[in-house]
Amino acid sequence: MPTMQRHTEIRKGTRVRHTFHVLGRLGAVAGLAAVGLLVRLALIATTPASFDVESYGVVAGLLVAGRPVYLETERYNYAPVWMWLLGGIWHLATWAGIDFTLLVRAVVAAIDTALGLVIYGLLRRRHKVSQPAALALSVLNPILVLNAGVHGQFDPLATLLMLGAIVMLPTGGPREPSGWRLPMAGLLLGLSIAVKHFPVLALPALLVAQPRWRDRLVLAALATLPTLVAFAPVWPTQAEGVLGNVVGYSGGKFPWWGLGAVAYALGKAATWPGLDTLALPIATLREWLLAYSRYLAAAAIGMVALMGARRVSPNTHVVLAFLLFYALVVNFGAYYLVWIVPFIALYGAESKGGLRLALLWTLLASLYSAASHGYEALITVQANGPVLQILFGATIFTGILAWAACLMMAAIIVRTVDSTARRVIVARESVVPFTS
């Protein structure tokens, strides 16, 4: 066989094998997406719509009727972006003859599955994490599955956009031009904040991490611009409602997590004989935590951002910001745990010994999420009963365990930031940040 013909056949065989390889990978991804989505849809089909999902119907109905949403209901506490998406889903449900609450929950499930797939791809392709660990931290992560399948909050959309921002952030030093990556990261971060406002918790660390003031100004401007643009159409006529429902919103009214759960447990213990003198101080402490814990969390996040944001990866500081929020805030919804899922997975892949920590945290947080979502789903259909009481007790107990895991991980990361800062000061060594 002539040499040229043999080389041609080899190239054809290589292309065929490559094509089958690509098709096989696409098929595996499609199968994984189908499994993840079906699990979420199965939960949707067997659980009642949550209060928040019912609120989506109220908001969409007002919007479609041309009513001022921020003035006529207190059940919408975000920028108008999700409200406009709800209007589109309402029209689609009406056109297709589908129940609105089912369709909006299915949309959230699809977004949540997409978020899980992106996390899975980053863990497997970039960090070579084993498949079981990657699945546990991504597509089949119980925190994601339970939020999408039971609660239905749209946090996965903002989280997905924020993940894109973190991946896009430039990683060079002060002498390396940021190019197009910084504006793209700023825009994605701004869109995530416009969808839901929790990504602003990570903004201080991301700003401090930038080596130049120009880059900080660009990132800050693009991170705030989409929210300002979104509010512009409603501000002239609904400013009072925006100030009351959005600016004055203090978070979910679920004080059974972390410090709140500890205070609740102490309050119960204070009813025991001989401990009744502790009832008033514990009740006073709990009221103080309910009123001011979010300010304590904001102060801690700001202080840690200034302490060492330039010396560890932006992803690590995002994890730390959310952990500090979880550790110090009292009004807390189980769906808040969605925020940290991709970033704690990446932290586990990047850090020595971090994967075990990430899996342990995910396990404990998943137990709390299961108990909390189970209690929430049951309370909508049952006023009282032994199962409800068991789930409430499980929510308190698992909440304390998950909260302790947040404290432990935050302490480990703070220690890492502090030791890294000392090495930089003493040895002037260069620390390589998160690379995308």
Side-chain angles (χ1 to χ4, degrees):
M1 179 183 296
T3 302
M4 183 175 297
Q5 183 179 354
R6 185 169 64 251
H7 287 172
T8 301
E9 290 182 358
I10 290 173
R11 284 197 298 269
K12 287 181 179 179
T14 302
R15 285 197 298 269
V16 169
R17 286 193 297 271
H18 177 71
T19 300
F20 277 108
H21 179 67
V22 171
L23 290 175
R25 285 173 54 187
L26 290 176
V29 171
L32 182 59
V35 170
L37 184 59
L38 286 173
V39 169
R40 289 159 173 80
L41 292 178
L43 283 173
I44 289 172
T46 54
T47 56
S50 67
F51 176 83
D52 286 330
V53 171
E54 292 176 351
S55 297
Y56 299 161
V58 173
V59 171
L62 289 172
L63 180 67
V64 171
R67 308 297 299 172
V69 173
Y70 291 105
L71 295 178
E72 296 201 8
T73 181
E74 296 180 352
R75 297 172 72 166
Y76 190 76
N77 313 109
Y78 324 105
V81 176
W82 178 245
M83 175 175 67
W84 296 332
L85 292 175
L86 289 176
I89 296 171
W90 179 281
H91 286 299
L92 180 60
T94 303
W95 173 79
I98 303 173
D99 179 73
F100 170 80
T101 57
L102 285 177
L103 183 58
V104 74
R105 294 177 76 183
V107 169
V108 170
I111 296 170
D112 190 72
T113 304
L115 172 62
L117 285 174
V118 173
I119 301 169
Y120 179 80
L122 290 171
L123 292 177
R124 292 285 288 162
R125 295 289 303 280
R126 179 174 298 167
H127 297 290
K128 310 303 180 186
V129 174
S130 67
Q131 187 167 3
L135 288 173
L137 293 171
S138 59
V139 181
L140 300 182
N141 190 312
I143 298 169
L144 296 182
V145 172
L146 288 166
N147 170 69
V150 179
H151 192 99
Q153 264 287 2
F154 60 99
D155 296 61
L157 178 56
T159 305
L160 181 59
L161 292 167
M162 186 180 176
L163 176 59
I166 299 301
V167 171
M168 290 304 303
L169 274 174
T171 59
R175 297 182 180 179
E176 182 178 335
S178 56
W180 59 272
R181 294 173 66 92
L182 182 72
M184 180 61 69
L187 183 59
L188 287 171
L189 183 62
L191 290 173
S192 71
I193 295 172
V195 170
K196 202 165 187 181
H197 308 313
F198 68 82
V200 77
L201 293 172
L203 186 56
L206 297 181
L207 291 176
V208 175
Q210 301 311 307
R212 293 179 290 263
W213 274 104
R214 181 190 62 191
D215 292 345
R216 294 173 191 167
L217 292 174
V218 169
L219 185 61
L222 290 174
T224 55
L225 183 61
T227 300
L228 296 176
V229 171
F231 275 118
V234 300
W235 179 259
T237 57
Q238 303 182 54
E240 182 180 355
V242 170
L243 291 174
N245 297 339
V246 181
V247 180
Y249 182 60
S250 60
K253 303 298 189 292
F254 309 105
W256 307 308
W257 158 272
L259 292 174
V262 171
Y264 178 85
L266 290 174
K268 286 295 183 182
T271 62
W272 299 347
L275 297 178
D276 54 315
T277 56
L278 298 176
L280 182 59
I282 291 172
T284 303
L285 173 63
R286 194 160 189 258
E287 290 301 318
W288 187 90
L289 289 172
L290 285 169
Y292 300 110
S293 65
R294 61 184 180 274
Y295 303 116
L296 183 63
I301 290 169
M303 288 177 61
V304 172
L306 293 173
M307 184 177 77
R310 298 191 202 180
R311 301 181 179 101
V312 295
S313 75
N315 181 77
T316 298
H317 262 288
V318 169
V319 171
L320 182 55
F322 287 145
L323 287 174
L324 289 172
F325 180 84
Y326 296 162
L328 296 173
V329 80
V330 173
N331 280 336
F332 189 87
Y335 57 88
Y336 291 4
L337 295 170
V338 170
W339 309 345
I340 200 174
V341 164
F343 311 109
I344 209 165
L346 293 178
Y347 170 81
E350 297 164 12
S351 308
K352 184 179 180 180
L355 190 59
R356 293 180 181 177
L357 283 174
L359 288 169
L360 175 62
W361 182 92
T362 300
L363 172 63
L364 295 176
S366 296
L367 292 175
Y368 168 74
S369 184
S372 178
H373 285 310
Y375 175 75
E376 176 190 339
L378 189 59
I379 203 171
T380 59
V381 297
Q382 181 178 337
N384 208 334
V387 176
L388 197 64
Q389 294 302 315
I390 292 172
L391 281 174
F392 181 72
T395 300
I396 298 293
F397 178 70
T398 57
I400 292 176
L401 287 180
W403 173 69
C406 290
L407 287 174
M408 179 190 70
M409 283 206 67
I412 291 172
I413 295 175
V414 167
R415 184 178 178 183
T416 301
V417 172
D418 182 60
S419 61
T420 303
R422 290 183 183 182
R423 291 201 311 270
V424 171
I425 292 171
V426 174
R428 295 183 180 180
E429 65 181 51
S430 175
V431 179
V432 179
F434 171 70
T435 55
S436 59

